Amino acid sequence: MIKILLRRTVETPIGPMIAMASSEGLSLLEFADRPAVASEMEELERRYGYTIEPGRNAVLNQIEAELAAYFAGELTLFETPLVLPGNAFQNEVWAKLREIPYGQTHSYGEMARSIGRPNASRAVGAANGQNRVAIVVPCHRIIGADGSLTGYGGGQRRKRFLIDLEHRIFAGAASRPIFHPISAQGSLF
């Protein structure tokens, strides 16, 4: 059976993104200028047996609409179905990432403790870095234990922008000022 991922470029306020999906779900959403995109696509083809073709389907239409609503501050929870090829540990970490509430951040240590592996901060960081679905699987919500921005495949400017966007919308919905160490530093975009 041939497994096909359709690919298209989605424009966002912080740069174009490559989105790839089968009819079952989204498998890749990455910033087009991210160096790892080529190896991620190769992994989907070689390791997981996908054929990648340009095109459009209902899943790609849905993620494009949801991204527009997210950046407009109108969407806080993505409903696009996902198909996330990976090992059991990666999928456990990615599932936990999706549980981090909009407008909030966690550290690698908090993530490790939340999956019952308190000494696995580095492994959590590695799985976080192997996430192929930016924003929807919100790896940008992971920060250093000291509150600092840490690595992000899309770049720290984008990470700061995403955290700031979510914090501003979250704080506005709370109807009271909410301090967040990242957004207090100001967005760079």
Side-chain angles (χ1 to χ4, degrees):
M1 178 175 156
I2 297 174
K3 300 188 301 184
I4 296 176
L5 289 176
L6 295 181
R7 172 189 169 169
R8 66 174 276 100
T9 300
V10 178
E11 297 299 327
T12 76
I14 55 177
M17 298 185 82
I18 297 171
M20 294 176 29
S22 65
S23 58
E24 288 81 38
L26 184 70
S27 292
L28 185 135
L29 181 66
E30 288 283 13
F31 292 100
D33 62 358
R34 183 170 186 222
V37 171
S39 62
E40 289 176 341
M41 290 171 58
E42 185 177 317
E43 180 183 36
L44 287 169
E45 289 175 314
R46 288 193 178 166
R47 185 171 184 185
Y48 297 107
Y50 285 100
T51 298
I52 299 169
E53 299 176 356
R56 182 181 269 279
N57 60 23
V59 174
L60 291 173
N61 292 341
Q62 181 175 354
I63 192 57
E64 188 170 13
E66 286 187 354
L67 282 170
Y70 170 84
F71 282 107
E74 301 164 355
L75 182 129
T76 61
L77 182 65
F78 288 90
E79 295 182 4
T80 298
L82 302 177
V83 174
L84 303 174
N87 65 41
F89 181 75
Q90 289 170 327
N91 278 289
E92 184 177 15
V93 170
W94 298 337
K96 280 295 180 185
L97 283 169
R98 296 194 71 210
E99 293 176 12
I100 300 172
Y102 179 92
Q104 296 183 29
T105 55
H106 288 215
S107 70
Y108 292 106
E110 288 173 303
M111 283 291 296
R113 287 188 294 280
S114 76
I115 62 171
R117 298 180 183 199
N119 298 322
S121 294
R122 288 184 185 196
V124 165
N128 196 48
Q130 293 162 338
N131 169 31
R132 286 184 224 84
V133 182
I135 302 173
V136 178
V137 178
C139 54
H140 63 275
R141 294 181 188 155
I142 299 298
I143 61 173
D146 63 357
S148 64
L149 289 179
T150 55
Y152 180 63
Q156 287 199 355
R157 288 179 41 201
R158 287 184 176 126
K159 182 173 186 160
R160 182 182 303 273
F161 179 93
L162 295 169
I163 291 172
D164 182 53
L165 170 72
E166 291 184 6
H167 182 252
R168 283 185 290 111
I169 301 303
F170 177 73
S175 300
R176 61 183 168 79
I178 298 173
F179 175 78
H180 192 280
I182 303 300
S183 58
Q185 297 171 27
S187 181
L188 296 177
F189 251 91

